Amino acid sequence: MTYQTITTQSLEGVLTITLNRPEAFNALNTLLLSEVADVLDQADQDESIRVAVITGGPKVFAAGADIKEMAALDAVGVMNDARPKHWRRIYQFSKPLIGAVNGYALGGGCELVMHCDIVIAGDNALFGQPEINLGIIPGAGGTQRLIRTVGKPLAMKMVLSGEMIDAKTALQANLIAEVVIPEKTIERAHQLAKTIAKKPPIAVRLAKEALLKAFETDLESGLNIERKSFTLLAATEDRQEGIAAFMEKRKPEFKGR
Ligand code: CAA
């Protein structure tokens, strides 16, 4: 499959998606969003892919929705927009999605960060929801996910003022998992992806699902989901293999069965 706005590469169970609109600071136009959603849909069905890494490359992650494209839409155009469906498809990717972020992650770019399960950022990264400067508000989950992730004070400050935060602040606020020097961002994301790619894929998938449910449900319902998945995993070959390998003092070989 060839894409116009992204490049992809698969190696050792890790799919790397690189946003590729350098002329527009990787602005997430609808084609780019649909291509990211398409490639993740395919990766979901592909047993050889265990983890995906998404990056904008060494300089910029993404400067948000494509403002020039957005300018052409009236209210009915926005209402009929395909973008929410693409975002939903990205959210529904069942395998781990790791973000490797250098430079700007603004608007939809910051929302894409929040669609990632783990984010590694270069110390040059800047995160922001500057939509207010355009007379709009975040439209891809930014208000809901940001406040659940970083809490009310910082979410309010970012969304109402449009001010950016640096990587150190984003780390302290739990928006991202690690900060490294910009030259190491993609390397570190790959290292983590390869580690996770060696883990039992069904357990990884159910762990991701259970963790994300914590954003949506009350504790009792969340604990029920966790218990059901924990029980289901007792029926997998990978669990037998993991426990046997521990007993036999060898490395496990997980097959996703
Ligand atoms: N959409 C379209 N083009 C964009 C863009 C965007 N979001 N961000 C940057 N570009 C383009 C610029 O138009 C410019 O192209 P030209 O040279 O053809 O004019 C090129 O990328 C470089 O940008 P700048 O010259 O502005 O570079 P800079 O270094 O001076 O500033 C920046 C960089 C701070 C990222 C600035 O470009 C900027 O503020 N961009 C817009 C950020 C923004 O408001 N994002 C939110 C978008 S709305 C949204 O995201 C809503 C949603 O998801 C639902």
Side-chain angles (χ1 to χ4, degrees), residues 149-226:
T149 307
V150 306
K152 181 179 166 189
L154 189 56
M156 283 286 182
K157 188 179 87 164
M158 288 171 72
V159 173
L160 300 185
S161 73
E163 274 183 19
M164 301 179 207
I165 58 168
D166 61 15
K168 196 173 144 214
T169 308
L171 181 69
Q172 283 164 353
N174 295 323
L175 184 60
I176 59 176
E178 278 183 34
V179 179
V180 295
I181 57 168
E183 296 74 28
K184 295 273 180 199
T185 311
I186 297 172
E187 186 184 320
R188 173 63 187 134
H190 276 146
Q191 194 183 49
L192 200 57
K194 281 186 206 158
T195 300
I196 298 171
K198 292 195 188 84
K199 307 295 178 199
I202 305 172
V204 167
R205 178 183 173 157
L206 293 181
K208 168 171 171 166
E209 190 182 305
L211 285 160
L212 287 179
K213 281 289 173 210
F215 278 117
E216 295 169 14
T217 62
D218 59 283
L219 180 61
E220 194 54 35
S221 311
L223 290 171
N224 277 333
I225 290 163
E226 182 189 88

Coordinates of all heavy atoms in Angstrom, one line a residue, residues 149-226:
T149 N -6.3 13.6 31.8 CA -4.9 13.2 31.9 C -4.1 14.1 32.8 O -3.4 13.7 33.6 CB -4.3 13.2 30.4 OG1 -5.2 12.4 29.6 CG2 -2.9 12.7 30.4
V150 N -4.2 15.4 32.6 CA -3.3 16.4 33.3 C -4.1 17.1 34.4 O -3.4 17.8 35.2 CB -2.7 17.4 32.3 CG1 -2.0 16.7 31.2 CG2 -3.7 18.5 31.8
G151 N -5.4 16.9 34.5 CA -6.2 17.6 35.6 C -6.7 18.9 35.2 O -6.2 19.5 34.1
K152 N -7.5 19.5 36.0 CA -8.2 20.7 35.7 C -7.3 21.9 35.5 O -7.5 22.7 34.5 CB -9.4 21.0 36.7 CG -10.2 22.2 36.4 CD -11.3 22.4 37.4 CE -11.8 23.8 37.3 NZ -12.7 24.2 38.4
P153 N -6.4 22.2 36.5 CA -5.7 23.5 36.4 C -4.9 23.6 35.1 O -5.0 24.7 34.4 CB -4.8 23.4 37.6 CG -5.4 22.5 38.6 CD -6.1 21.5 37.7
L154 N -4.2 22.6 34.7 CA -3.3 22.7 33.5 C -4.2 22.6 32.3 O -4.0 23.4 31.3 CB -2.3 21.6 33.5 CG -1.2 21.7 32.4 CD1 -0.5 23.1 32.5 CD2 -0.2 20.6 32.6
A155 N -5.2 21.8 32.3 CA -6.1 21.7 31.1 C -6.8 23.0 30.8 O -6.8 23.5 29.7 CB -7.1 20.5 31.3
M156 N -7.3 23.6 31.8 CA -8.0 24.9 31.7 C -7.0 25.9 31.2 O -7.3 26.7 30.2 CB -8.5 25.4 33.0 CG -9.8 24.7 33.4 SD -11.2 25.3 32.4 CE -12.5 24.3 33.2
K157 N -5.8 26.0 31.7 CA -4.8 27.0 31.3 C -4.5 26.8 29.8 O -4.5 27.7 29.1 CB -3.5 26.8 32.2 CG -2.6 28.0 31.9 CD -1.3 27.9 32.8 CE -0.3 27.0 32.1 NZ 1.1 27.2 32.7
M158 N -4.2 25.5 29.5 CA -3.8 25.3 28.1 C -4.9 25.6 27.1 O -4.7 26.2 26.0 CB -3.4 23.8 27.9 CG -2.1 23.5 28.6 SD -1.7 21.7 28.6 CE -1.3 21.4 26.8
V159 N -6.2 25.1 27.4 CA -7.3 25.3 26.4 C -7.8 26.7 26.4 O -8.1 27.3 25.3 CB -8.4 24.3 26.7 CG1 -9.6 24.6 25.9 CG2 -7.9 22.9 26.6
L160 N -7.8 27.4 27.5 CA -8.4 28.8 27.5 C -7.3 29.8 27.1 O -7.7 30.8 26.5 CB -8.9 29.1 28.9 CG -10.0 28.2 29.5 CD1 -10.5 28.7 30.8 CD2 -11.1 28.1 28.5
S161 N -6.1 29.6 27.4 CA -5.0 30.6 27.0 C -4.4 30.2 25.7 O -3.8 31.1 25.0 CB -4.0 30.7 28.1 OG -3.1 29.5 28.0
G162 N -4.4 29.0 25.3 CA -3.7 28.6 24.1 C -2.2 28.5 24.3 O -1.4 28.1 23.4
E163 N -1.7 28.7 25.6 CA -0.3 28.6 25.8 C 0.3 27.2 25.7 O -0.4 26.3 26.1 CB 0.0 29.2 27.2 CG 0.2 30.7 27.3 CD 0.5 31.2 28.7 OE1 1.0 30.4 29.6 OE2 0.3 32.3 29.0
M164 N 1.5 27.1 25.2 CA 2.1 25.8 25.1 C 2.8 25.4 26.4 O 3.2 26.3 27.2 CB 3.2 25.8 24.0 CG 2.6 26.2 22.6 SD 3.9 26.2 21.4 CE 3.3 27.4 20.2
I165 N 3.0 24.1 26.6 CA 3.9 23.6 27.7 C 5.0 22.9 27.1 O 4.9 22.3 26.0 CB 3.1 22.8 28.7 CG1 2.5 21.5 28.0 CG2 2.0 23.6 29.4 CD1 2.0 20.5 29.0
D166 N 6.2 22.9 27.8 CA 7.3 22.2 27.3 C 7.3 20.7 27.8 O 6.4 20.3 28.5 CB 8.6 22.9 27.8 CG 8.8 23.0 29.3 OD1 8.1 22.3 30.0 OD2 9.6 23.8 29.7
A167 N 8.3 20.0 27.3 CA 8.3 18.6 27.6 C 8.4 18.2 29.1 O 7.8 17.3 29.5 CB 9.5 17.9 26.8
K168 N 9.2 19.1 29.8 CA 9.4 18.8 31.2 C 8.1 19.0 31.9 O 7.7 18.1 32.8 CB 10.4 19.8 31.8 CG 11.0 19.5 33.1 CD 12.1 20.4 33.5 CE 12.0 20.7 35.0 NZ 12.4 22.0 35.3
T169 N 7.3 20.0 31.6 CA 6.0 20.2 32.2 C 5.0 19.1 31.8 O 4.3 18.6 32.7 CB 5.4 21.6 31.8 OG1 6.4 22.6 32.0 CG2 4.1 21.9 32.5
A170 N 5.1 18.7 30.5 CA 4.2 17.6 30.1 C 4.5 16.3 30.8 O 3.6 15.5 31.1 CB 4.4 17.4 28.6
L171 N 5.8 16.1 31.1 CA 6.2 14.9 31.9 C 5.6 15.0 33.3 O 5.0 14.0 33.8 CB 7.7 14.8 31.9 CG 8.3 13.5 32.6 CD1 7.9 12.3 31.8 CD2 9.8 13.6 32.8
Q172 N 5.8 16.1 33.9 CA 5.3 16.3 35.3 C 3.8 16.1 35.4 O 3.3 15.7 36.4 CB 5.7 17.7 35.9 CG 7.2 17.8 36.3 CD 7.6 19.2 36.5 OE1 6.9 20.2 36.1 NE2 8.9 19.4 36.9
A173 N 3.2 16.5 34.3 CA 1.7 16.5 34.3 C 1.1 15.1 33.8 O -0.1 15.0 33.6 CB 1.2 17.6 33.3
N174 N 2.0 14.2 33.5 CA 1.6 12.8 33.1 C 1.0 12.8 31.7 O 0.3 11.9 31.3 CB 0.6 12.2 34.0 CG 1.3 11.9 35.4 OD1 2.5 11.6 35.4 ND2 0.6 12.1 36.4
L175 N 1.3 13.8 30.9 CA 0.9 13.8 29.5 C 1.8 12.8 28.6 O 1.3 12.3 27.7 CB 0.9 15.2 28.9 CG 0.4 15.4 27.5 CD1 -1.1 15.0 27.4 CD2 0.6 16.9 27.0
I176 N 3.0 12.7 29.1 CA 4.0 11.9 28.4 C 4.7 11.0 29.4 O 4.6 11.3 30.6 CB 5.0 12.7 27.6 CG1 5.8 13.7 28.5 CG2 4.3 13.5 26.5 CD1 6.8 14.5 27.8
A177 N 5.4 10.0 28.9 CA 6.0 9.0 29.8 C 7.5 9.3 30.1 O 8.0 9.0 31.1 CB 5.9 7.6 29.3
E178 N 8.2 9.8 29.0 CA 9.7 10.0 29.2 C 10.1 11.2 28.3 O 9.5 11.4 27.3 CB 10.4 8.8 28.6 CG 10.5 7.6 29.6 CD 11.4 6.5 29.0 OE1 12.3 6.7 28.2 OE2 11.0 5.3 29.3
V179 N 11.2 11.8 28.8 CA 11.8 12.9 28.0 C 13.3 12.5 27.7 O 13.9 12.0 28.6 CB 11.8 14.2 28.7 CG1 12.5 15.3 27.9 CG2 10.4 14.7 29.0
V180 N 13.7 12.6 26.5 CA 15.0 12.2 26.1 C 15.6 13.4 25.2 O 14.9 14.3 24.9 CB 15.1 10.9 25.3 CG1 14.6 9.7 26.2 CG2 14.2 11.0 24.1
I181 N 16.9 13.3 24.9 CA 17.4 14.3 23.9 C 16.7 14.0 22.6 O 16.4 12.9 22.2 CB 18.9 14.3 23.8 CG1 19.5 13.0 23.4 CG2 19.5 14.8 25.1 CD1 20.9 13.0 23.0
P182 N 16.5 15.1 21.8 CA 15.7 14.9 20.5 C 16.3 13.8 19.6 O 15.5 13.1 18.9 CB 15.7 16.3 19.9 CG 15.9 17.2 21.0 CD 16.8 16.5 22.0
E183 N 17.6 13.7 19.6 CA 18.2 12.7 18.7 C 17.8 11.3 19.1 O 18.0 10.3 18.3 CB 19.7 12.8 18.7 CG 20.3 14.1 18.2 CD 20.1 15.3 19.1 OE1 20.0 15.1 20.4 OE2 20.0 16.5 18.6
K184 N 17.4 11.1 20.3 CA 17.1 9.7 20.8 C 15.6 9.4 20.9 O 15.3 8.3 21.3 CB 17.7 9.6 22.2 CG 19.2 9.7 22.3 CD 19.8 8.3 22.1 CE 21.4 8.4 22.2 NZ 22.0 7.3 21.6
T185 N 14.8 10.3 20.5 CA 13.3 10.1 20.7 C 12.8 8.8 20.0 O 12.2 8.0 20.6 CB 12.5 11.3 20.2 OG1 13.1 12.5 20.7 CG2 11.1 11.3 20.6
I186 N 13.1 8.8 18.7 CA 12.6 7.6 17.9 C 13.3 6.3 18.3 O 12.7 5.3 18.5 CB 12.8 7.9 16.4 CG1 11.9 9.2 16.0 CG2 12.4 6.8 15.5 CD1 12.1 9.7 14.7
E187 N 14.6 6.4 18.6 CA 15.3 5.3 19.0 C 14.8 4.7 20.3 O 14.5 3.5 20.5 CB 16.8 5.7 19.3 CG 17.7 4.5 19.6 CD 19.2 5.1 19.9 OE1 19.6 6.0 19.2 OE2 19.8 4.6 20.8
R188 N 14.5 5.6 21.3 CA 13.9 5.1 22.6 C 12.5 4.5 22.4 O 12.2 3.5 23.0 CB 13.9 6.3 23.6 CG 13.2 6.0 24.9 CD 13.9 4.9 25.7 NE 13.1 4.5 26.9 CZ 12.9 3.3 27.2 NH1 13.3 2.2 26.6 NH2 12.1 3.0 28.3
A189 N 11.7 5.2 21.5 CA 10.4 4.7 21.2 C 10.5 3.3 20.6 O 9.7 2.4 21.0 CB 9.6 5.6 20.3
H190 N 11.4 3.1 19.7 CA 11.6 1.8 19.1 C 12.1 0.7 20.1 O 11.6 -0.4 20.1 CB 12.6 1.9 18.0 CG 12.0 2.3 16.7 ND1 12.6 3.1 15.8 CD2 10.7 2.1 16.2 CE1 11.8 3.3 14.8 NE2 10.7 2.7 15.0
Q191 N 13.0 1.1 21.0 CA 13.5 0.2 22.0 C 12.3 -0.3 22.9 O 12.1 -1.5 23.1 CB 14.4 1.0 22.9 CG 15.3 0.2 23.8 CD 16.2 1.2 24.6 OE1 15.7 2.1 25.2 NE2 17.5 0.9 24.6
L192 N 11.4 0.6 23.3 CA 10.3 0.3 24.1 C 9.3 -0.6 23.3 O 8.8 -1.6 23.8 CB 9.6 1.6 24.5 CG 8.7 1.5 25.7 CD1 9.4 1.0 27.0 CD2 8.1 3.0 26.0
A193 N 9.1 -0.2 22.0 CA 8.2 -1.0 21.2 C 8.7 -2.4 21.0 O 7.9 -3.4 21.1 CB 8.1 -0.3 19.8
K194 N 10.0 -2.6 20.8 CA 10.5 -3.9 20.7 C 10.4 -4.8 21.9 O 10.1 -5.9 21.9 CB 12.0 -3.9 20.3 CG 12.2 -3.5 18.8 CD 13.7 -3.6 18.4 CE 14.0 -2.8 17.2 NZ 15.4 -2.4 17.1
T195 N 10.5 -4.1 23.1 CA 10.3 -4.8 24.4 C 8.9 -5.3 24.5 O 8.6 -6.4 24.8 CB 10.6 -3.8 25.6 OG1 12.0 -3.4 25.5 CG2 10.4 -4.5 26.9
I196 N 7.9 -4.4 24.1 CA 6.5 -4.8 24.2 C 6.2 -5.8 23.2 O 5.4 -6.7 23.4 CB 5.6 -3.5 24.1 CG1 5.9 -2.6 25.3 CG2 4.1 -3.9 24.1 CD1 5.3 -1.2 25.2
A197 N 6.8 -5.7 22.0 CA 6.5 -6.7 20.9 C 6.9 -8.1 21.3 O 6.3 -9.1 20.7 CB 7.3 -6.3 19.7
K198 N 7.7 -8.3 22.3 CA 8.1 -9.6 22.7 C 7.2 -10.2 23.8 O 7.3 -11.3 24.2 CB 9.5 -9.6 23.3 CG 10.6 -9.3 22.2 CD 12.0 -9.7 22.7 CE 13.0 -9.3 21.7 NZ 13.5 -7.9 21.9
K199 N 6.3 -9.3 24.3 CA 5.4 -9.8 25.3 C 4.2 -10.5 24.7 O 3.9 -10.4 23.5 CB 4.8 -8.6 26.1 CG 5.9 -7.6 26.7 CD 6.8 -8.3 27.7 CE 7.9 -7.4 28.3 NZ 9.0 -8.1 28.9
P200 N 3.4 -11.3 25.5 CA 2.3 -12.0 25.0 C 1.2 -11.1 24.4 O 0.6 -10.3 25.2 CB 1.8 -12.8 26.2 CG 2.3 -12.1 27.4 CD 3.6 -11.5 27.0
P201 N 0.9 -11.1 23.1 CA 0.1 -10.1 22.5 C -1.4 -10.1 23.0 O -1.9 -9.0 23.1 CB 0.1 -10.5 21.0 CG 0.9 -11.7 20.9 CD 1.5 -12.1 22.2
I202 N -1.9 -11.2 23.4 CA -3.3 -11.2 23.9 C -3.3 -10.4 25.3 O -4.2 -9.6 25.5 CB -3.9 -12.6 24.0 CG1 -3.8 -13.3 22.7 CG2 -5.4 -12.5 24.4 CD1 -4.3 -14.7 22.7
A203 N -2.4 -10.8 26.1 CA -2.3 -10.1 27.4 C -2.1 -8.6 27.2 O -2.7 -7.7 27.9 CB -1.2 -10.7 28.3
V204 N -1.2 -8.2 26.3 CA -0.9 -6.8 26.0 C -2.2 -6.1 25.6 O -2.5 -5.0 26.1 CB 0.2 -6.7 24.9 CG1 0.3 -5.2 24.4 CG2 1.5 -7.1 25.5
R205 N -2.9 -6.7 24.7 CA -4.2 -6.1 24.2 C -5.2 -6.0 25.3 O -5.8 -4.9 25.4 CB -4.7 -7.1 23.1 CG -6.0 -6.6 22.5 CD -6.5 -7.6 21.5 NE -7.8 -7.3 21.1 CZ -8.4 -7.7 20.0 NH1 -7.7 -8.4 19.1 NH2 -9.6 -7.3 19.7
L206 N -5.4 -7.0 26.1 CA -6.4 -6.9 27.2 C -5.9 -5.9 28.3 O -6.7 -5.3 28.9 CB -6.6 -8.3 27.8 CG -7.3 -9.3 26.8 CD1 -7.6 -10.6 27.5 CD2 -8.7 -8.7 26.3
A207 N -4.6 -5.8 28.5 CA -4.1 -4.8 29.5 C -4.4 -3.4 29.0 O -4.9 -2.6 29.7 CB -2.6 -5.0 29.7
K208 N -4.1 -3.2 27.7 CA -4.4 -1.8 27.1 C -5.9 -1.5 27.3 O -6.3 -0.4 27.7 CB -4.0 -1.8 25.6 CG -4.6 -0.5 24.9 CD -4.0 -0.4 23.5 CE -4.8 0.8 22.8 NZ -4.1 1.3 21.6
E209 N -6.8 -2.5 26.9 CA -8.2 -2.3 27.0 C -8.7 -2.0 28.4 O -9.4 -1.0 28.6 CB -8.9 -3.6 26.5 CG -10.4 -3.4 26.2 CD -10.9 -4.8 25.8 OE1 -10.5 -5.3 24.8 OE2 -11.9 -5.3 26.4
A210 N -8.1 -2.8 29.3 CA -8.6 -2.6 30.7 C -8.1 -1.2 31.3 O -8.8 -0.5 31.9 CB -8.0 -3.7 31.6
L211 N -6.8 -0.9 30.9 CA -6.3 0.4 31.4 C -7.1 1.6 30.8 O -7.5 2.5 31.6 CB -4.8 0.6 31.0 CG -3.8 -0.3 31.8 CD1 -2.5 -0.4 31.0 CD2 -3.5 0.4 33.1
L212 N -7.4 1.5 29.6 CA -8.2 2.6 29.0 C -9.6 2.7 29.5 O -10.2 3.8 29.6 CB -8.2 2.5 27.4 CG -6.9 2.8 26.7 CD1 -7.1 2.6 25.2 CD2 -6.5 4.3 27.0
K213 N -10.2 1.6 30.0 CA -11.5 1.6 30.6 C -11.6 2.5 31.8 O -12.6 3.0 32.2 CB -12.0 0.2 30.9 CG -12.5 -0.6 29.7 CD -13.8 -0.1 29.2 CE -14.2 -0.8 27.9 NZ -15.0 0.0 27.0
A214 N -10.4 2.6 32.5 CA -10.4 3.4 33.7 C -10.8 4.9 33.4 O -11.2 5.6 34.3 CB -9.0 3.4 34.3
F215 N -10.6 5.3 32.2 CA -11.0 6.7 31.8 C -12.5 6.8 31.7 O -13.1 7.9 31.7 CB -10.4 7.1 30.5 CG -9.0 7.6 30.5 CD1 -8.0 6.9 29.9 CD2 -8.7 8.8 31.2 CE1 -6.7 7.4 29.9 CE2 -7.4 9.2 31.3 CZ -6.4 8.6 30.6
E216 N -13.2 5.7 31.5 CA -14.6 5.7 31.1 C -15.6 5.2 32.1 O -16.8 5.5 32.0 CB -14.8 4.9 29.8 CG -14.1 5.4 28.6 CD -14.1 4.4 27.5 OE1 -14.8 3.4 27.5 OE2 -13.3 4.6 26.5
T217 N -15.1 4.3 33.0 CA -16.1 3.7 33.9 C -15.8 4.0 35.4 O -14.7 4.5 35.8 CB -16.0 2.1 33.8 OG1 -14.7 1.7 34.2 CG2 -16.2 1.7 32.4
D218 N -16.7 3.6 36.2 CA -16.5 3.6 37.7 C -15.6 2.5 38.1 O -15.4 1.5 37.3 CB -17.9 3.6 38.4 CG -18.6 2.3 38.0 OD1 -19.2 2.2 36.9 OD2 -18.6 1.3 38.8
L219 N -15.1 2.5 39.3 CA -14.1 1.5 39.8 C -14.7 0.1 39.7 O -14.0 -0.8 39.2 CB -13.7 1.9 41.2 CG -12.6 1.0 41.8 CD1 -11.3 1.0 41.0 CD2 -12.3 1.4 43.2
E220 N -15.9 -0.1 40.2 CA -16.4 -1.4 40.3 C -16.5 -2.0 38.9 O -16.1 -3.2 38.7 CB -17.8 -1.4 40.9 CG -18.4 -2.7 41.4 CD -17.4 -3.5 42.3 OE1 -16.7 -2.8 43.1 OE2 -17.4 -4.7 42.2
S221 N -17.0 -1.3 37.9 CA -17.1 -1.8 36.5 C -15.8 -2.1 36.0 O -15.5 -3.1 35.3 CB -17.9 -0.8 35.6 OG -19.0 -0.3 36.2
G222 N -14.8 -1.2 36.2 CA -13.5 -1.4 35.7 C -12.8 -2.6 36.3 O -12.2 -3.4 35.6
L223 N -13.1 -2.8 37.6 CA -12.5 -4.1 38.2 C -13.1 -5.3 37.7 O -12.5 -6.3 37.5 CB -12.7 -4.0 39.8 CG -11.9 -3.0 40.5 CD1 -12.3 -2.8 42.0 CD2 -10.4 -3.3 40.4
N224 N -14.4 -5.2 37.3 CA -15.1 -6.4 36.7 C -14.5 -6.7 35.3 O -14.2 -7.8 35.0 CB -16.6 -6.1 36.5 CG -17.3 -6.4 37.7 OD1 -16.9 -7.2 38.5 ND2 -18.5 -5.7 37.9
I225 N -14.2 -5.6 34.5 CA -13.6 -5.8 33.2 C -12.2 -6.5 33.4 O -11.8 -7.4 32.7 CB -13.5 -4.5 32.5 CG1 -14.9 -4.0 32.1 CG2 -12.5 -4.6 31.3 CD1 -15.0 -2.5 31.7
E226 N -11.4 -5.9 34.4 CA -10.1 -6.5 34.6 C -10.2 -8.0 35.0 O -9.5 -8.8 34.5 CB -9.4 -5.7 35.8 CG -8.0 -6.2 36.1 CD -7.5 -5.6 37.4 OE1 -7.7 -6.1 38.5 OE2 -6.9 -4.5 37.3

